Structures are given as structure tokens and as C-alpha cells.
Amino acid sequence: MVEILRHRGPDGDSHHLDKERGVALGHARLSIIGIHSGTQPIPARDERCILACNGEFYDYKRLRSRLMTRGDRFSTRSDSEIALPLYERLGLDFVEHLRGEFAFALYDRKLDRLILVRDRFGIRPLFWHQNDQGLYFASEVKGLLINPEVPRKLDRRAALNQLMHTMVPGTSAFDGIHALEPGCMLIATRRNGRIDINIQRYWDLDFPEAGGHDDASDEEQVDAVRRELVDSVTFRLEADVPVGCYLSGGIDSCSILGMASGAQQSPVKAFTISFDNEDYDEAAIAKEMADEVNADQDLICLGADELYGDNYVRTAWHAERTFYNTLGVAKWCMSRHVQRAGYKTVITGEGADELFGGYPALKRDMFLHGLDDEPPETRAAYEEALHKSNEVFRGAILAETERSHDAWNDLMGFTPSWLQPWMGTLELARPLLSDATQEELAGYDPVAAIAEKVDPDRLRGRHALDKAQYSWSKTMLEGQILNWGGDRVDMANSMESRPAFLDHHVAELATRIPPRLRIRGNIEKWVLREAMRGVLPEVLYKREKFAFMAPPAHTDSAKKARVQSLLDEYADPASIAEAGLLSPERTTRFIEEWQQ
């Protein structure tokens, strides 16, 4: 199990086996803090507990100092070790003091209790399976499937959700293998020879009810965002190895680079992806930002040869799910490049759109459902402006036609704009299923299944923009952006990404900011732009949101040919029939129509 996850931790491995209790913990280590003294699993000094952790705890030095004044002692220099004395002092409330991105297992010998914990946004993955033989867990599904006690069977319901590209929270592509949801801990206690499981949510995005947002002045709101972000970036520069930054042409990564450059007071290494299609390439704007802060920019250019073929296959293996754009492959290429350049960690810009209202779909919902106090002519003008923007992404990020679903209308009062294009994708995908699969899934509604996993108490009485942001964050953020756009393709090459916007202190501040300051007029992320105005070049400060995507296959003949070679190898009628999920005839006809 450890060996198949070696890409996540090539710097060493160790394990703890307690045959008497039937407990095994294994760990493959990527050494970033406490390089020479942080071997895991880490036992507590009194050996009551033992910990195996993937990820980072920030502000750990202050916590260590405070704990040491109360008599606690540490055996390593690793940030991970602070979880042990916090747990022994505070019990399950210890998670409230952990700041960062992490997934870990902690076994308490005294209580014969195992605790699995995942960070608040699901930046680090964690999967589990339970059967009559026991409870099994790993950072990736492949770490479970290598165990002969865990069944290897695709979940047909999940397959349909994979085809529409919107997963049900808490699921994987495999039957009986669950994802521990973000902000949750799984508590496994053995009683009378059986393992009882209790899952508790210890944190969630909590928007105030409509009208209950902070009433501070605009200037105070901007200053507060700036302070929290500077703290977040500064914490993420903490490491015993060099820390770089990912840099695209968007305000999110440019803001991160600007703050990191100020905090480090020396040139920061900035890694940029360039594409061979000017409609999707942001390298020129990224270079302007790098020049502005005197960053050491390292740029790679990617075309058909890099985005398809073996790289595509490797990315799918690491992501363990479908992806609709080769952005994930591009990120895999970048993380390999970063690792070869001698870097193990970078700070990234994911999460800003989720917290500050950056996506076109969020803007659309604000205009359509969040302007009740505005006159009709203003709403009409806003919608006209929205439909003129981001035309290159219509049909991918914004739906071509309006769609609605009763389950979401009941949940939110409207069907969120971010979901509508994937409902269109479902209409294309469902007819491709084999007759047997269609019969098995006849009563299954994948759109309703997603809605059932979204907490209605977090939506009731909230502003339309808050509802849209919450629903996206509970689904696509964890399942897509932090998966094949984040951890899974970064750690594939032993490279840790640190998304500074997804610090829970930043998030808790962002939820209290009035919607009108997140999207002001036709300007998305207004409060963030103002907070970063001093570090952003003018072109970026004024730039409309442009989603970072790789050029799709239809944009040139070379990419189309590379897709065809993948289809020839993996999607011929015999392979489709053997897999059993899809109809070979209908799928072949679908591909032929695309080719034409």
C-alpha cells in the first residue's frame, strides 16, 4: 500500500504494526519541514497515540512554544507532531487548532480508537473502505485497491457522474470506497469485536443569513482581506526547502506571487505554463507580473505532444477520475518540471474564485437571483454584460441553454449556473451507457444525488451568491479543482502545492463580506482586486476573469490526431464491450459524429 503511493513521498517510508490490536499505519514521506527528524508514523512521548500525516500544519512553532510552556516535549522538528499533544490535552476538539492542508490518521491505544481527519476544503485526499475484515484507508484509491481485502469493482452510479464530470461528495469511482468529506473526521471505535464508525463534521463554510454580513466600511473590508492573505502566504513560505509559486495570468496567482515576494524580500521562483494557442495562453501577462516583482520566472510551453499520449494516461491514473480538459495534464507536466528544478513545494492561487465570487457562473447567479433591490433595467444591463463576456468558454463554463432541476430548485430556490453545463453533458452521456447499465441505473438521478449531499441548513435564508459559492465549493472545488487541478497531479511528481486562499481564517473572513463587495457591478472579486491593487499591474487589476484552461483538442489538427491515437488504443469497440459500462455501437457512433 505504501509502495504504490511512493510518488507522494519518495524521501523515506516507515510503518507501525501492532498485531495484538490489529492496527497498521504506513507512511511515505515527502520531507519539507524537519527534514532529518520527522520520520512517520510519529508516536507520542508516552506512546499512548501514534500519528501518520500527509500535509502541513501552519503556525506550528507558536503552538509548540505554548505546549512546551505547559510541559509537553517533542521528539522531532516536524510540524505534524503538534497534533499529538493537542489531542491528548483537548480530545476531539484538537482539530479546531490545526491550520493548514492535511489528511491524517491518529490511533489512540488507550481508547482503542482510530481517528481519520481531512482538512477543511479537502486539499489533501483521504479514502476509506470497511468490510468484515476491518477498516482500510489511504491517501489515494490505488492504495486501497492494492490490498487484496478490498474489492476492485467500478461503481456504475459513480461512472455516470464521472461522465457528466460532477461527482457526488463522499464518493469515488469504486464500489464501497468512500472519500472522507472535507472538514470531517471519521472516528472508528472497536466494541465487542466490531468496528463502529461515526463521521463528524468539525468545520464548514458558514455564510450569514441574508442581510447579516459585516457592516464595516468598504475600506475596512479591503484592509481585512489584505491582512489575512498576507498572514496566509507568510505561513506557507515556512519550509526547510525552497518554496516557489505557480504563476498564470490571473489575479489570483499574481496576487500570491506579489505577497510572497514582499514577505520573502528576495526574488521568488515563479513557474508558468504557456500554451501553443493564443486564445488560451496567459504567459505574456504572467511575465509582466514576474517583471513587476523581479521574480525568477521559469516558463514551459506545452502543445499536443505534451498534453496527450503517455502524459494523458499517467494523469488519469493519478487523478482516479475523468477530466474534461487537459489542464490537469498541463499541471502534471508542470509539477514534473518544478520537481526537476529542485523544488518540492509551491504556493498556488486556487480558492480565490470560490471565496470572492470569481467565476462567470457565480456572477450570472448574482445578476439573475441576487439583485432583488435593483431596478429591472439594471438587472437587464448586467445580464447583457455577462453574456458578452468569456465567449470562448460558453458551453464549458456557462451553459448554452438554460436548464433547471427540481431537486436544486427546492434546495436553493434556483438551479445554479455552474451545474447547468454539466446537466447538458449528462444528456449526451446517458444514451452512451450499455443496455445493462441503463437498466441498472434506470431509477438513478445523478443530479439529484449531488443535491442530496449538500447541507440545506447552510443554504436556508442565504443570499443567492452565497448559495452559489457554497454549492460549488462542496462539489467542484474538492472533486475537480483540488483533484486533477491540484494535489493529485502535483503529488504525482512529489511536489506539494499550498493554496493560500484556502486558509480557513481567510475563508471565514470572506463569508462575512457582503455580496456587493465580492461582485460589484460587472467586476468580480472586487474586494480582492482592491486589496491587491498595490501589487497588481494595471492590466491585471482591470482584467475580467479568464478561466485557466488548456486548448481543447478541436483547436488544431495535431491535438485532434493525438486524441484519435488514444481512442484507437483505449476506446475501440472490443475494449468498450469488455469494460461493460458503455454501448460499443452508440459510443462508436458518438465518436464518429465528433470526428465529422
Side-chain angles (χ1 to χ4, degrees):
M1 292 173 72
V2 171
E3 185 61 32
I4 202 168
L5 299 181
R6 179 71 59 188
H7 53 277
R8 298 189 70 88
D11 297 332
D13 66 83
S14 186
H15 59 262
H16 167 81
L17 297 177
D18 186 337
K19 293 185 178 181
E20 181 181 348
R21 292 177 172 83
V23 174
L25 296 177
H27 188 269
R29 187 178 186 221
L30 181 64
S31 54
I32 292 176
I33 293 177
I35 294 175
H36 303 297
S37 65
T39 299
Q40 297 195 41
I42 303 174
R45 289 179 67 87
D46 63 3
E47 297 191 350
R48 169 186 167 180
C49 300
I50 188 161
L51 171 84
C53 179
N54 172 217
E56 303 292 343
F57 298 136
Y58 301 117
D59 201 17
Y60 73 98
K61 292 180 178 178
R62 180 184 62 83
L63 287 170
R64 280 172 67 110
S65 298
R66 180 181 296 178
L67 289 165
M68 289 182 71
T69 63
R70 299 178 182 178
D72 290 297
R73 293 294 180 265
F74 296 85
S75 58
T76 77
R77 292 184 56 219
S78 170
D79 57 296
S80 299
E81 193 177 359
I82 61 167
L84 291 166
L86 284 172
Y87 169 75
E88 292 190 352
R89 286 185 174 274
L90 302 173
L92 296 178
D93 290 339
F94 80 123
V95 293
E96 297 176 9
H97 298 268
L98 299 175
R99 181 175 189 172
E101 46 267 358
F102 47 80
F104 64 85
L106 187 153
Y107 177 66
D108 183 331
R109 287 190 177 95
K110 181 179 178 181
L111 299 178
D112 196 18
R113 179 169 75 178
L114 179 75
I115 304 166
L116 304 180
V117 182
R118 193 173 180 199
D119 67 64
R120 293 165 178 85
F121 285 99
I123 299 164
R124 300 288 167 250
L126 184 54
F127 296 90
W128 63 277
H129 168 77
Q130 185 184 23
N131 58 29
D132 292 340
Q133 283 69 47
L135 172 67
Y136 306 85
F137 52 94
S139 290
E140 298 180 12
V141 172
K142 58 184 67 68
L144 293 172
L145 295 181
I146 202 70
N147 189 314
E149 301 293 343
V150 178
R152 301 163 63 93
K153 181 183 177 184
L154 285 170
D155 184 330
R156 291 177 183 267
R157 292 188 175 196
L160 185 54
N161 280 99
Q162 293 255 357
L163 285 171
M164 72 172 287
H165 298 290
T166 312
M167 295 292 291
V168 177
T171 67
S172 77
F174 294 86
D175 191 27
I177 296 180
H178 314 281
L180 183 62
E181 292 188 45
C184 287
M185 57 179 158
L186 182 153
I187 304 156
T189 307
R190 188 158 28 207
R191 294 187 179 93
N192 300 320
R194 61 171 293 175
I195 299 173
D196 293 335
I197 288 179
N198 177 31
I199 297 178
Q200 298 181 10
R201 187 174 298 281
Y202 68 87
W203 188 89
D204 203 354
L205 276 175
D206 189 12
F207 290 94
E209 292 192 7
H213 298 84
D214 281 355
D215 57 2
S217 68
D218 294 3
E219 184 178 355
E220 289 172 323
Q221 303 269 12
V222 168
D223 288 343
V225 169
R226 186 184 298 115
R227 285 195 305 271
E228 287 292 356
L229 283 174
V230 168
D231 283 350
S232 178
V233 170
T234 302
F235 281 132
R236 282 159 179 79
L237 286 169
E238 177 69 34
D240 294 333
V241 296
V243 179
C245 289
Y246 275 160
L247 176 65
S248 69
I251 69 169
D252 310 335
S253 63
C254 289
S255 298
I256 295 295
L257 178 63
M259 289 182 284
S261 299
Q264 190 163 285
Q265 296 185 333
S266 62
V268 176
K269 190 78 167 180
F271 296 94
T272 298
I273 294 172
S274 175
F275 294 117
D276 60 352
N277 183 302
E278 63 180 13
D279 285 339
Y280 293 84
D281 187 34
E282 301 181 296
I285 298 176
K287 183 180 186 305
E288 186 169 339
M289 182 66 204
D291 293 343
E292 181 88 4
V293 296
N294 194 32
D296 177 14
Q297 188 179 27
D298 190 336
L299 184 145
I300 63 169
C301 185
L302 304 177
D305 289 346
E306 293 80 20
L307 296 176
Y308 296 95
D310 289 344
N311 293 349
Y312 188 102
V313 176
R314 288 193 190 101
T315 301
W317 187 81
H318 283 287
E320 299 173 343
R321 64 152 294 172
T322 55
F323 40 88
Y324 63 88
N325 180 264
T326 51
L327 164 64
V329 188
K331 291 288 294 289
W332 181 89
C333 293
M334 174 57 90
S335 67
R336 180 180 59 177
H337 181 80
V338 170
Q339 196 271 342
R340 290 175 176 176
Y343 281 73
K344 291 183 176 182
T345 184
V346 295
I347 309 177
T348 69
E350 287 91 359
D353 292 311
E354 282 74 14
L355 296 178
F356 296 102
Y359 292 118
L362 300 178
K363 186 194 291 188
R364 185 174 187 275
D365 286 339
M366 173 74 165
F367 292 171
L368 295 181
H369 310 292
L371 299 174
D372 292 341
D373 296 332
E374 298 289 342
E377 61 271 16
T378 303
R379 293 199 297 271
Y382 280 164
E383 184 160 1
E384 180 182 359
L386 177 68
H387 283 289
K388 288 180 179 178
S389 68
N390 285 294
E391 283 297 331
V392 72
F393 299 115
R394 183 162 302 281
I397 289 177
L398 293 175
E400 293 175 300
T401 58
E402 184 80 14
R403 286 178 170 83
S404 180
H405 194 285
D406 289 344
W408 285 88
N409 293 341
D410 292 343
L411 180 69
M412 296 178 54
F414 58 92
T415 300
S417 294
W418 67 260
L419 180 60
Q420 293 182 36
W422 307 122
M423 294 169 63
T425 305
L426 177 62
E427 293 173 5
L428 294 174
R430 192 154 204 157
L432 303 182
L433 299 176
S434 68
D435 292 343
T437 305
Q438 291 204 30
E439 183 177 353
E440 181 178 333
L441 301 185
Y444 178 62
D445 183 345
V447 180
I450 302 164
E452 289 171 5
K453 294 290 289 186
V454 179
D455 186 355
D457 291 337
R458 300 286 176 173
L459 298 170
R460 196 171 292 114
R462 268 60 171 194
H463 188 276
L465 179 60
D466 296 345
K467 293 179 181 180
Q469 288 182 216
Y470 181 85
S471 61
W472 167 277
S473 296
K474 302 306 293 185
T475 51
M476 301 300 279
L477 172 62
E478 183 239 348
Q480 170 191 304
I481 290 172
L482 298 177
N483 177 291
W484 56 263
D487 173 274
R488 307 301 283 281
V489 290
D490 290 328
M491 290 295 279
N493 290 297
S494 311
M495 204 284 300
E496 178 185 82
S497 51
R498 299 176 168 185
F501 286 103
L502 294 179
D503 185 288
H504 74 280
H505 291 261
V506 175
E508 288 168 358
L509 170 66
T511 60
R512 301 192 301 269
I513 294 173
R516 63 176 178 80
L517 298 186
R518 282 174 262 152
I519 298 177
R520 170 167 282 189
N522 198 32
I523 303 173
E524 70 278 354
K525 293 187 288 195
W526 179 87
V527 68
L528 176 61
R529 291 173 190 268
E530 293 303 308
M532 296 294 106
R533 191 168 189 171
V535 300
L536 294 175
E538 189 73 8
V539 64
L540 266 170
Y541 170 74
K542 293 182 177 179
R543 191 187 189 209
E544 186 178 15
K545 167 68 181 178
F546 188 90
F548 181 57
M549 293 173 66
H554 66 261
T555 54
D556 66 63
S557 58
K559 294 182 181 65
K560 208 165 185 178
R562 296 307 298 267
V563 169
Q564 185 61 52
S565 67
L566 286 168
L567 290 170
D568 291 342
E569 183 171 359
Y570 294 102
D572 63 282
S575 298
I576 295 172
E578 182 181 0
L581 290 171
L582 304 179
S583 160
E585 297 78 19
R586 289 191 290 271
T587 303
T588 299
R589 186 163 60 248
F590 177 83
I591 293 171
E592 290 173 349
E593 290 172 356
W594 166 74
Q595 291 167 331
Q596 294 165 9

